[in-house]
Amino acid sequence: MPDRPSLDRIRVGSAPDSWGVWFPDDPQQVPWQRFLDEVAQAGYSWIELGPYGYLPTDPARLTDEIARRDLKVSAGTVFTGLHRGPSVWDATWEHVSQVAELTQAMGAKHLVVIPSFWRDDKTAEILEPPELTGEQWAHLTKGMERLGHEVKEAYGLDIVVHPHADTHLDTEDHVEHFLDSTDSELVNLCLDTGHYAYCGGDSVKLIETYGERIGYLHLKQVDPEILADVVKNEIPFGPAVQRGVMCEPPSGVPELEPVLVAAQRLGVELFAIVEQDMYPCEPDKPLPIAERTRKFLRSCGA
């Protein structure tokens, strides 16, 4: 792109997800020390905390561990089931408070909020209907607004809600309905380019249409051939990942350079955190991919 602007507003990082980490503790995952060593070695300065409990949760210890590797934290992550109504608020807030407190202590400003899965990401068991009722939509949108307000008041963090495969916030229609039903002062979006493509969405179109609502990016690609088989056979997300549906850039979709250019044109500072779902994976697999991906993103100007 000869007219490509400098991507000086995009801050690139990576996350435990790119090292095959989905759970706080799992024998198939790399130890947290190795993740921190390798994410720094691959050339990233920013990381997310990943699932709460994977990295040390003592702020002093975690500060020391990341500082001596010249790393900084961009965000924490929480899972919520707010569509279930006020009865889940107390349990939700207890979990959110734990993560938000550590996120704040690390100097980060964002909390990535992922709606709960309607089918289990390990067993593929159907847990709930994949479509929300009108009442559940109201619970979800009002609950997220309340969460955004409370997290800002208590911890000074902005929540960014993450559309995700096998959750109720997935397709273009669902994402647009969610954005149209929530207050931009309280709730914005973490656009995950891979999950949005997985569910049929166009990331560049979303950025150009709802630019003021894009508060954070996850960079990810899907393999279109594997995705076609996943869609045809209604394969759950967990098994789809094991098939390699989330692939190393630049071999998949969407093209990341146009996404980054569209994000840069918003004129605001944005994190763009690389996430390549590949749970489970061999422990030696992530680092070479991370190094190649960082080199690729540099070639895009990021």
Side-chain angles (χ1 to χ4, degrees), residues 214-226:
I214 307 299
Y216 200 91
L217 294 173
H218 279 171
L219 301 181
K220 189 179 296 173
Q221 287 191 324
V222 294
D223 181 311
E225 290 187 10
I226 297 176

Side-chain angles (χ1 to χ4, degrees), residues 94-284:
E94 183 179 359
H95 166 59
V96 168
S97 295
Q98 269 190 323
V99 181
E101 186 175 354
L102 182 60
T103 303
Q104 179 194 48
M106 292 302 101
K109 300 297 183 186
H110 295 89
L111 193 66
V112 177
V113 181
I114 301 177
S116 57
F117 288 52
W118 55 261
R119 61 180 165 190
D120 190 273
D121 54 352
K122 263 193 168 180
T123 68
E125 175 191 358
I126 303 293
L127 305 172
E128 298 180 69
E131 289 288 334
L132 295 178
T133 65
E135 182 182 33
Q136 288 173 323
W137 267 112
H139 287 322
L140 175 63
T141 54
K142 296 307 175 189
M144 285 295 186
E145 288 182 334
R146 181 182 178 187
L147 190 68
H149 173 76
E150 297 291 343
V151 167
K152 188 73 170 178
E153 285 291 306
Y155 300 102
L157 306 177
D158 293 322
I159 71 165
V160 282
V161 180
H162 182 320
H164 196 292
D166 286 2
T167 75
H168 298 106
L169 193 59
D170 49 5
T171 64
E172 184 175 288
D173 285 347
H174 286 166
V175 170
E176 291 184 356
H177 178 60
F178 178 79
L179 290 174
D180 290 342
S181 305
T182 50
D183 184 347
S184 62
E185 293 295 314
L186 301 172
V187 178
N188 285 304
L189 210 67
C190 169
L191 170 58
D192 184 303
T193 61
H195 280 282
Y196 202 52
Y198 184 102
C199 299
D202 181 331
S203 289
V204 171
K205 176 186 172 187
L206 186 68
I207 292 170
E208 291 177 344
T209 307
Y210 287 91
E212 74 283 358
R213 303 301 299 277
I214 307 299
Y216 200 91
L217 294 173
H218 279 171
L219 301 181
K220 189 179 296 173
Q221 287 191 324
V222 294
D223 181 311
E225 290 187 10
I226 297 176
L227 180 62
D229 183 64
V230 164
V231 172
K232 178 182 176 183
N233 294 294
E234 299 183 352
I235 297 168
F237 181 66
V241 167
Q242 292 178 30
R243 292 185 180 208
V245 71
M246 297 299 181
C247 61
E248 177 181 346
S251 59
V253 295
E255 288 186 63
L256 293 181
E257 186 170 330
V259 171
L260 292 167
V261 169
Q264 169 72 20
R265 287 178 176 149
L266 296 176
V268 296
E269 300 281 332
L270 278 177
F271 283 106
I273 304 299
V274 176
E275 281 199 327
Q276 184 182 340
D277 290 306
M278 48 185 178
Y279 173 89
C281 67
E282 293 298 318
D284 292 336

Side-chain angles (χ1 to χ4, degrees), residues 277-299:
D277 290 306
M278 48 185 178
Y279 173 89
C281 67
E282 293 298 318
D284 292 336
K285 183 179 179 183
L287 177 58
I289 292 175
E291 290 175 328
R292 291 192 296 267
T293 300
R294 187 68 193 96
K295 183 178 180 181
F296 165 69
L297 290 172
R298 285 196 180 97
S299 77

